[in-house]
């Protein structure tokens, strides 16, 4: 673990490549407060960036090669910008993100320069806190900085999303890349994923904290199930369109309309649609609650979101449910829910300042009793999105 970033990263860069780093960038992971599985339905999300980032230090090379070293994995990987290919070597798999976004930028007509690169991340990998999105966003910022291009951050998010879709093969929405690129310190972003308009809403400066807890359960099913949910939502739109010809996504369906036509949907599709439609409403209500300082209501909406994700959307798992139950049992917890795609990964809880210690003491023991697993707890403030530091 590097103790002081970015100085130590720059020192490592100089040790490895025998010259100083000209560019240093950072892009954060994220936690979604509410609005889950709504982004690929043109809906609303409310994430914030977290105080854990992927960092990259780099200097240009004139031979069109990218020579990268990952401090997390202690591995190097080299590729040419002329023929970018995915590596099949498991120990270099992390470099596929550097390859993927470089390939997309080139397809978009950005002339890239070769680079020496050192990467280091404090976003836990595979924990549902968007380590891959932050890797892509950081790399995109690094490549464009190296050729003196100031990339628009929304464009950076969209290109990173494309890289994730083409590289990982999961048809992800825009939330993770967007918040990693555009997050605002001490705010969460209320994002309309259809228009990409967004509003930075201040989080309470005191009184309450965001606490993330990791189930430490490896997320197995997530990719295939994610794509399944997506097509179930598309099926719902197709059927509802018979009654509501102007709709193009579940975003366009009100709760009243849904109730009127729900009978026409197959049972499972009906549940999926009910989650998405009710979740969009919960996001809107939670923003109003937050703006009026009603943290208790915000917490209740988080709780309702979890129940809906568990019962209707079926993306929770016994470990997430156990962690949520343990968290809610602590006095001073306003609300707790799974965050991200589901099937493992993390929960997010809103916890009164005075209850954070109790949370840290009680939740691990309760979770262990229920599952035999250990949880990892992270408290975080909302962090700024991607930035070039040097
Ligand atoms: C993953 C995806 C996001 C979003 C969430 C679920 O994190 O990358 O686009 O769909 O799942 O809300």
């Amino acid at each position: 673990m590097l103790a002081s970033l970015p100085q130590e990263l720059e020192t490592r860069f100089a040790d490895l490549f025998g010259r100083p780093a000209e560019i240093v960038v950072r892009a954060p992971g994220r936690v979604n407060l509410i609005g889950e599985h709504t982004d690929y339905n043109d809906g609303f999300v409310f994430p914030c960036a977290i105080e854990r980032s992927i960092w990259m230090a780099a200097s240009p090379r004139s031979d069109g090669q990218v020579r990268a070293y990952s401090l997390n994995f202690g591995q190097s990987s080299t590729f040419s910008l002329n023929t970018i290919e995915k590596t099949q070597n498991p120990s270099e798999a992390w470099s596929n993100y550097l390859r993927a976004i470089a390939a997309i930028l080139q397809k978009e007509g950005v002339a890239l320069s070769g680079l020496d690169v050192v990467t280091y991340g404090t976003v836990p990998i595979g924990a549902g806190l968007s380590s891959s999105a932050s890797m892509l966003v950081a790399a995109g910022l690094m490549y464009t900085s190296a050729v003196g291009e100031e990339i628009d951050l929304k464009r950076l998010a969209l290109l990173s999303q494309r890289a994730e879709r083409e590289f990982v093969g999961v048809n992800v929405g825009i939330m993770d890349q967007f918040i990693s690129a555009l997050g605002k310190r001490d705010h969460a972003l209320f994002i309309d994923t259809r228009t990409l308009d967004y509003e930075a809403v201040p989080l309470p400066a005191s009184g309450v904290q965001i606490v993330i807890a990791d189930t430490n359960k490896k997320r197995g099913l997530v990719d295939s199930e994610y794509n399944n949910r997506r097509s179930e939502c598309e099926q719902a739109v197709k059927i509802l369109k018979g009654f509501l010809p102007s709709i193009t996504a579940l975003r366009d369906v009100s709760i009243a309309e849904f109730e009127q036509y729900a009978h026409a949907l197959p049972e499972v599709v009906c549940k999926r649609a009910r989650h998405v439609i009710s979740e969009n409403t919960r996001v809107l209500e939670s923003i109003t609650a937050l703006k009026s300082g009603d943290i208790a209501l915000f917490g209740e909406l988080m709780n309702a979101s979890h129940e809906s994700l568990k019962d209707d959307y079926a993306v929770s798992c016994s470990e997430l449910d156990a962690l949520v139950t343990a968290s809610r049992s602590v006095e001073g917890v306003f609300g707790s829910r799974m965050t991200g795609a589901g099937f493992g990964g993390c929960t997010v809880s809103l916890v009164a300042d005075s209850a954070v210690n109790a949370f840290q003491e009680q939740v691990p023991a309760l979770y262990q009793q229920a599952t035999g697993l250990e949880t990892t707890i992270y408290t975080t403030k909302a962090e700024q999105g991607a930035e070039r530091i040097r």
Side-chain angles (χ1 to χ4, degrees), residues 81 102 105-114 143-144 146-149:
L81 290 171
L105 285 164
Q106 285 186 331
K107 274 192 206 165
E108 285 286 301
V110 183
L112 300 184
S113 158
Y143 284 121
T144 48
V147 293
E149 179 161 329

Side-chain angles (χ1 to χ4, degrees), residues 366-374:
L366 291 168
Y367 180 62
Q368 160 121 55
Q369 271 166 23
T371 62
L373 293 172
E374 291 194 2

Side-chain angles (χ1 to χ4, degrees), residues 274-286:
R274 184 165 61 202
H275 165 70
V276 174
I277 295 166
S278 62
E279 184 79 348
N280 275 327
T281 306
R282 278 187 290 273
V283 177
L284 297 174
E285 288 173 357
S286 71

Side-chain angles (χ1 to χ4, degrees), residues 172-247:
V172 291
I174 188 65
M175 169 169 73
D176 305 346
Q177 299 77 14
F178 196 98
I179 187 67
S180 180
L182 288 120
K184 187 167 176 208
R185 184 162 294 125
D186 300 328
H187 294 68
L189 297 194
F190 169 44
I191 308 166
D192 179 335
T193 64
R194 168 173 281 165
T195 60
L196 297 188
D197 288 338
Y198 68 99
E199 180 190 347
V201 182
L203 294 169
S206 63
V208 62
Q209 292 191 33
I210 299 166
V211 181
I212 297 166
D214 190 346
T215 58
N216 285 321
K217 154 143 195 262
K218 285 285 151 248
R219 297 181 307 150
L221 284 170
V222 64
D223 294 1
S224 58
E225 287 300 322
Y226 189 94
N227 288 339
N228 284 344
R229 293 299 177 282
R230 222 186 143 112
S231 49
E232 285 161 352
C233 291
E234 281 159 14
Q235 212 183 320
V237 173
K238 219 165 148 191
I239 297 169
L240 291 172
K241 227 175 157 40
F243 306 97
L244 304 162
S246 65
I247 67 166

Side-chain angles (χ1 to χ4, degrees), residues 271-329:
K271 287 168 117 188
R272 307 299 188 246
R274 184 165 61 202
H275 165 70
V276 174
I277 295 166
S278 62
E279 184 79 348
N280 275 327
T281 306
R282 278 187 290 273
V283 177
L284 297 174
E285 288 173 357
S286 71
I287 306 289
T288 310
L290 188 61
K291 286 182 177 169
S292 63
D294 194 344
I295 303 298
L297 177 56
F298 193 97
E300 281 168 28
L301 290 160
M302 289 175 77
N303 289 343
S305 167
H306 184 81
E307 303 318 311
S308 177
L309 286 158
K310 169 171 162 277
D311 299 333
D312 279 346
Y313 218 63
V315 291
S316 188
C317 59
S318 57
E319 293 83 357
L320 282 166
D321 294 341
L323 203 44
V324 160
T325 303
S327 305
R328 287 181 192 163
S329 76

